[in-house]
Amino acid sequence: MSNNEVSGAAIGWSAFAAFMLMMMGIFQALAGIAAIANDELFIAGQDYVVKLDTDQWGWVHLIIGILVFLAGLGIFSGNVLARTV
């Protein structure tokens, strides 16, 4: 094998990693969208009720999901920054 050839195992594992990143990015973005859409949360304890707003947490999940999905796409294109992520 010369220096210019890439092993099949390296290509397979890179494709697997890219697919997993894309899939997890989609799940993360969906969780963010769900938190943004339903941002009122009530927690009922024995002696108290707490009202929480999950809007900001939803935006964080949505942004992280988009970045992870784009990193997965970048791995398919061979981007070094995407491989670093």
Side-chain angles (χ1 to χ4, degrees):
M1 184 183 321
S2 68
N3 291 339
N4 294 338
E5 293 181 27
V6 179
S7 73
I11 293 172
W13 282 110
S14 295
F16 173 73
F19 176 75
M20 293 302 288
L21 279 171
M22 290 172 59
M23 187 175 64
M24 294 312 295
I26 290 171
F27 289 155
Q28 193 77 11
L30 288 175
I33 291 170
I36 293 168
N38 188 13
D39 62 347
E40 299 275 329
L41 178 67
F42 291 96
I43 298 175
Q46 200 168 14
D47 297 325
Y48 58 88
V49 173
V50 179
K51 179 182 175 186
L52 299 174
D53 185 15
T54 60
D55 195 37
Q56 290 119 357
W57 194 242
W59 282 106
V60 169
H61 277 277
L62 181 62
I63 291 169
I64 289 173
I66 291 170
L67 290 175
V68 169
F69 181 81
L70 291 175
L73 284 178
I75 288 176
F76 277 125
S77 69
N79 190 330
V80 176
L81 180 62
R83 284 188 287 172
T84 304
V85 170

